[in-house]
Amino acid sequence: MIVAVAVAVVTDSTAYFPAGLAERRGIRQVPLHVLVDGRHWLDGVQLGPAELVKALARRASVSTPLPPPGA
């Protein structure tokens, strides 16, 4: 008896892949949620690496809560 099993590879946006690799391999990337001084941002969507580095350099309060399970 053969049983079909659905498998998905899901990672957050801190797994930086070369351009197009995730799409070619069917890997789903969920944006990391980032709180900067109480404001909510989505990594790679609303907040890029340069903005995060600037926030850290000015000693902003930065945290990364888990994305919701549905994401």
Side-chain angles (χ1 to χ4, degrees):
M1 174 191 220
I2 298 175
V3 177
V5 178
V7 176
V9 177
V10 180
T11 185
D12 67 36
S13 57
T14 60
Y16 292 105
F17 295 113
L21 178 67
E23 293 81 18
R24 285 194 308 274
R25 301 289 185 189
I27 300 170
R28 167 96 160 99
Q29 287 188 289
V30 176
L32 187 69
H33 291 239
V34 182
L35 288 175
V36 179
D37 288 334
R39 292 191 62 196
H40 180 259
W41 305 92
L42 293 176
D43 177 50
V45 176
Q46 301 166 314
L47 181 74
E51 292 85 11
L52 181 57
V53 168
K54 287 177 188 176
L56 293 170
R58 64 178 169 80
R59 298 183 182 258
S61 171
V62 177
S63 63
T64 54
L66 292 173

